[in-house]
Amino acid sequence: MKKNQTDKIRNIGIIAHIDAGKTTVTERILYYTGRSHKIGEVHDGQAVMDWMPDERERGITITSAVTTCEWNNNIIQIIDTPGHVDFTIEVERSLRVLDGAIGVFCAVGGVEPQSETVWRQADRYHVPKIAFINKMDRVGADFFKTVRMIKERLNAHPLILQLPLGTEDAFVGVIDLLSMKSFIWETEEFGKNYRIEDIPEDMLEQALEYREKIIERAAEIDDDIMEAYIGEQEITNEALIAAVRKGTVDLKLVPVLCGSALRNKGIQPMLDAIVQFMPSPFDVPPIEGVIVDSQEIMKCLPHKNKPLAALIFKVAMIEGRKLCYARIYGGEISVGQSVYNPVRNIKEKVARIMLMHANKKERIEKAGPGSIVGLVGLKTSSTGDTLCIETDKLILENIDVYEPVISIAVEPKTVSDQDKLAEVIGKYTAEDPTLKVKTDEDTGQTILSGMGELHLEVIVSRMKREFNLEVNVGKPHVVYRETIGTKHTEAFIFDKEIEGRRRFAEVKIELTPLKRGAGNLFKSKINDEMIPDGFVKAIKESILQSLESGVVLGYPVIDVEAALVGGSYKENISDDLAYKASASIACQKALTKAAPFLLEPIMKVKIFVPDAFMGEVIGDINSKGGKVEAIEANEGTQTIDATVTLSKMFGYSTELRSLTQGRGYFTMLFSHFDKT
């Protein structure tokens, strides 16, 4: 790999709905850039980027994989992300460190549910995007319908840079509207060779029409092009490319390309587009961090001579060793260097730096701004942590983590494996922030909570494959929340002798229900004479900790305001311990008397069914107490948007197959907690 040149780096992610062809696109990129010497196919279980046995068996991407390749003297660092909603954290943390993204869309299915989800995630992080409309060779492929869906469903501004040359079985290549040439792929040599020809006469008028639209959009972005356009002067390709690049980086437009990755058509022009239109680390706004000592905001510029600023966005256990994936925003990191983690207030040593190619690693001595690398030797650091130097302490923005909604009980099949189970689960929770573990106090069982049935199923499968650990698995259980229905005020006086001295505290709190999604709030409505300010922090900590376990079934309490409205203080015998105990007991008593009740996770469900089965599917949703919110008609199929409680959706895959003779499928995403 060539020496790091930050302006030559393109950090991109491949994002899409499951089965849109993300991994197939990535495999072609690796082949044509010379990173792989043969094309790995997802359906054969040979894809380089889907290296985990579970990924190869299921034909889906489970964990985001990182690789690096070169094209036209540029370094392209790629993260191939999952398409299944159960693994959405993998997309979230990848988008956090990327400078650009390729949205892959199926020319038949168009903008599918998870495409919409990941696109909005990318919007939240202001990631510039290119749209690649894949599977143009498939029956029912419709390029212009997909472009319309991108505009309407994603609220994007697509700019067509290519037109398909033929469609379905007759798809042979693309018309490039910048060079005004046809690119036609050879059927042999795995698509490595293609001919460049003039545009067929029967498509020339359409090509000129869409080139004119490119010029019009470029004129809106670039004043020089506007002058040339008004003056009817010639506009060069170089000027158009620069304007499209500026519009892409500024999130004002989305270049649209097309092809068929499986048939090896359209990938090389997409690589050109990545280099031409995707930003380098210099082109995107610098990431901001908070200086620990002064709490000032600082911009991290992508220069080698700046202080180190790196973000750990993923932790993986590969061959039993901890590997931290990090994006370097400023400064350099070297083998043997001591780095500081201000989030955990610790120093760590970098033993090795790895350039990643899926699960294969290439050692390098140092890495600079814009690099995405694997770091070995960091014992304590985890996902979302910042790495810097101790003299320049800086914390970068953390990564959002989703709360789990489903849980299972797991226990080892042999007593001797009990300690091993705890160790193995510890490794997986270090990898995956959406995987939570706790011990049931009543039964002593280990409870694993995750984002969905598939998520937990994969974890259990990995236990057996990677650690030869077989477990008994209980039925999935819903992870509920609790809240209150009425306002209630409760006081408690703590007055006991502990460890040979008397301790006193009186706390009076008022709990008030809040609207759904408001979260928990704490307010102090007392003056310093009633309880000194120094103890209010201890009271707040105790109350918020008490809300982590409700009184109905012990689930976390949400959407409650806890106000400190009274209490008293006695000099020399009041302390933090007494106030914490008093606040905790008062909170639990108030919860009991404030009409507590359970909240269920409500799921957003999108169901795709052939027309003939729509009535049965809607009837089934109604029987589950679900609410149909919208129905969209497509050619031969219907898309049903509904909300249903998670507890009614267990085993729905089998039910839907039965209702639709195996032709229906659905996607499901957590929406909110509510009373049913």
Side-chain angles (χ1 to χ4, degrees):
M1 187 60 59
K2 65 163 65 201
K3 192 177 177 183
N4 180 295
Q5 291 177 271
T6 307
D7 63 330
K8 296 287 187 182
I9 292 175
R10 301 291 183 270
N11 285 322
I12 63 160
I14 311 289
I15 59 172
H17 184 86
I18 189 170
D19 204 33
K22 297 181 311 304
T23 302
T24 305
V25 167
T26 310
E27 293 298 319
R28 269 57 184 178
I29 288 174
L30 297 180
Y31 180 67
Y32 298 134
T33 58
R35 197 69 175 84
S36 295
H37 300 298
K38 68 171 187 174
I39 293 176
E41 299 293 9
V42 175
H43 53 267
D44 292 336
Q46 296 298 315
V48 172
M49 301 300 275
D50 286 350
W51 58 271
M52 288 172 60
D54 277 284
E55 293 179 311
R56 293 188 167 185
E57 267 187 19
R58 298 165 194 269
I60 62 171
T61 302
I62 290 170
T63 180
S64 50
V66 180
T67 192
T68 306
C69 55
E70 291 184 28
W71 186 254
N72 292 345
N73 295 317
N74 289 269
I75 300 166
I76 302 176
Q77 298 181 132
I78 302 169
I79 301 182
D80 177 29
T81 62
H84 197 285
V85 292
D86 281 18
F87 309 104
T88 193
I89 182 64
E90 291 287 339
V91 184
E92 185 82 28
R93 57 190 181 183
S94 299
L95 287 170
R96 174 68 176 74
V97 298
L98 292 170
D99 298 327
I102 308 296
V104 179
F105 300 92
C106 171
V108 181
V111 177
E112 296 167 287
Q114 186 64 2
S115 301
E116 204 168 331
T117 301
V118 296
W119 194 275
R120 304 233 181 276
Q121 285 175 299
D123 281 343
R124 191 162 72 247
Y125 288 117
H126 308 293
V127 176
K129 294 171 284 292
I130 289 174
F132 180 73
I133 299 178
N134 192 27
K135 303 189 179 184
M136 285 303 306
D137 60 311
R138 288 271 299 274
V139 174
D142 191 330
F143 175 77
F144 292 105
K145 182 187 103 177
T146 305
V147 173
R148 283 196 305 274
M149 291 175 79
I150 291 171
K151 184 175 182 178
E152 292 164 6
R153 289 197 182 177
L154 304 178
N155 198 26
H157 304 287
L159 180 65
I160 295 172
L161 299 186
Q162 293 177 351
L163 293 174
L165 200 54
T167 188
E168 299 182 352
D169 288 346
F171 177 71
V172 294
V174 300
I175 294 172
D176 179 63
L177 298 172
L178 292 172
S179 64
M180 289 299 282
K181 292 289 182 181
S182 297
F183 293 3
I184 300 170
W185 271 263
E186 309 286 355
T187 53
E188 64 281 347
E189 293 298 319
F190 301 107
K192 267 194 169 183
N193 300 317
Y194 56 90
R195 304 192 309 276
I196 300 176
E197 299 181 352
D198 291 336
I199 297 170
E201 282 194 26
D202 61 338
M203 292 196 69
L204 186 58
E205 187 178 338
Q206 186 184 36
L208 288 169
E209 176 193 341
Y210 279 94
R211 180 178 168 83
E212 186 72 11
K213 291 181 179 180
I214 295 173
I215 294 170
E216 288 171 4
R217 186 72 68 85
E220 295 171 9
I221 294 165
D222 188 289
D223 290 341
D224 291 338
I225 293 178
M226 175 64 83
E227 284 182 25
Y229 183 58
I230 293 171
E232 297 185 355
Q233 299 169 13
E234 185 182 346
I235 298 167
T236 65
N237 271 356
E238 289 72 20
L240 282 180
I241 288 170
V244 172
R245 177 185 177 82
K246 186 176 188 308
T248 305
V249 172
D250 293 346
L251 305 177
K252 291 179 180 175
L253 56 86
V254 176
V256 178
L257 315 173
C258 62
S260 169
L262 189 62
R263 304 291 171 227
N264 311 309
K265 296 170 183 172
I267 302 299
Q268 294 95 327
M270 184 181 72
L271 283 163
D272 291 337
I274 289 170
V275 171
Q276 289 172 332
F277 307 127
M278 289 280 94
S280 77
F282 285 121
D283 298 319
V284 293
I287 191 171
E288 294 182 342
V290 177
I291 299 171
V292 174
D293 296 331
S294 65
Q295 293 299 299
E296 292 178 11
I297 302 295
M298 187 182 91
K299 294 182 186 297
C300 300
L301 300 173
H303 296 291
K304 291 181 183 179
N305 58 357
K306 295 291 182 182
L308 174 65
L311 180 75
I312 297 173
F313 67 94
K314 176 182 167 78
V315 173
M317 305 301 293
I318 298 180
E319 297 170 357
R321 292 187 176 184
K322 182 178 178 182
L323 182 73
C324 295
Y325 289 83
R327 160 76 191 260
I328 301 169
Y329 288 97
E332 287 187 316
I333 197 164
S334 305
V335 171
Q337 181 178 345
S338 179
V339 294
Y340 184 71
N341 181 334
V343 177
R344 300 177 190 274
N345 196 23
I346 54 165
K347 284 199 286 187
E348 301 246 52
K349 194 166 187 177
V350 178
R352 291 195 291 278
I353 303 174
M354 302 293 186
L355 204 59
M356 300 304 298
H357 180 47
N359 63 329
K360 296 181 175 62
K361 304 178 282 288
E362 176 188 330
R363 287 195 189 193
I364 56 175
E365 290 303 308
K366 65 166 61 174
S371 297
I372 294 175
V373 292
L375 303 177
V376 179
L378 306 182
K379 295 177 181 176
T380 310
S381 298
S382 191
T383 300
D385 289 357
T386 301
L387 299 178
C388 59
I389 54 176
E390 199 167 5
T391 52
D392 289 277
K393 297 177 185 175
L394 178 84
I395 296 179
L396 302 173
E397 183 188 354
N398 208 332
I399 296 169
D400 291 335
V401 175
Y402 296 86
E403 286 299 312
V405 294
I406 187 171
S407 64
I408 54 173
V410 293
E411 58 182 28
K413 288 191 174 180
T414 62
V415 176
S416 60
D417 278 340
Q418 188 64 50
D419 291 340
K420 187 177 180 182
L421 176 64
E423 182 188 338
V424 169
I425 290 176
K427 291 178 185 291
Y428 290 136
T429 52
E431 271 191 18
D432 186 349
T434 60
L435 186 68
K436 306 289 185 185
V437 61
K438 71 173 184 178
T439 302
D440 188 304
E441 292 180 6
D442 296 327
T443 64
Q445 287 179 308
T446 300
I447 307 297
L448 271 184
S449 302
M451 299 300 294
E453 289 180 273
L454 180 61
H455 184 201
L456 296 176
E457 191 182 307
V458 166
I459 293 295
V460 171
S461 172
R462 288 181 64 193
M463 286 181 188
K464 184 176 179 181
R465 286 182 188 276
E466 296 170 11
F467 296 96
N468 197 27
L469 176 62
E470 296 203 35
V471 294
N472 295 318
V473 179
K475 288 184 178 179
H477 291 283
V478 175
V479 178
Y480 294 94
R481 293 290 184 269
E482 298 182 20
T483 194
I484 57 174
T486 60
K487 181 186 288 191
H488 185 78
T489 304
E490 188 74 33
F492 187 80
I493 297 173
F494 184 89
D495 192 350
K496 286 186 180 180
E497 189 172 300
I498 300 175
E499 296 177 347
R501 60 172 282 227
R502 185 183 168 204
R503 297 171 193 259
F504 172 89
E506 181 186 3
V507 169
K508 186 177 183 181
I509 65 168
E510 179 184 75
L511 298 186
T512 306
L514 300 175
K515 66 180 181 178
R516 295 288 80 82
N520 291 335
L521 300 174
F522 173 84
K523 288 183 179 177
S524 176
K525 297 182 178 180
I526 62 169
N527 55 43
D528 194 40
E529 293 175 2
M530 197 175 287
I531 298 175
D533 277 347
F535 296 120
V536 172
K537 184 181 178 183
I539 293 169
K540 177 182 178 180
E541 283 178 6
S542 180
I543 289 173
L544 293 179
Q545 190 173 1
S546 292
L547 293 176
E548 290 176 8
S549 180
V551 296
V552 182
L553 289 175
Y555 290 103
V557 179
I558 61 172
D559 302 336
V560 169
E561 180 190 285
L564 177 61
V565 294
S568 63
Y569 159 79
K570 290 186 179 179
E571 198 161 349
N572 297 326
I573 62 171
S574 290
D575 64 4
D576 278 356
L577 178 63
Y579 277 113
K580 283 185 175 181
S582 179
S584 177
I585 295 168
C587 185
Q588 289 295 303
K589 285 177 174 288
L591 284 172
T592 304
K593 297 173 184 177
F597 59 91
L598 284 178
L599 296 170
E600 286 202 67
I602 309 297
M603 311 303 287
K604 284 191 287 190
V605 184
K606 263 191 189 291
I607 310 165
F608 302 84
V609 296
D611 293 338
F613 304 104
M614 190 175 74
E616 289 93 329
V617 172
I618 289 176
D620 184 59
I621 290 294
N622 290 335
S623 73
K624 296 178 187 298
K627 181 182 176 185
V628 175
E629 297 189 329
I631 298 171
E632 182 182 330
N634 297 303
E635 198 172 319
T637 64
Q638 303 282 339
T639 303
I640 302 167
D641 286 308
T643 54
V644 191
T645 58
L646 176 61
S647 59
K648 301 291 176 62
M649 292 301 292
F650 290 146
Y652 188 63
S653 297
T654 305
E655 286 182 46
L656 185 61
R657 280 197 295 270
S658 176
L659 286 169
T660 62
Q661 297 178 9
R663 295 170 62 195
Y665 68 97
F666 76 103
T667 63
M668 183 169 69
L669 189 65
F670 171 72
S671 174
H672 63 284
F673 285 98
D674 213 340
K675 190 174 183 179
T676 55

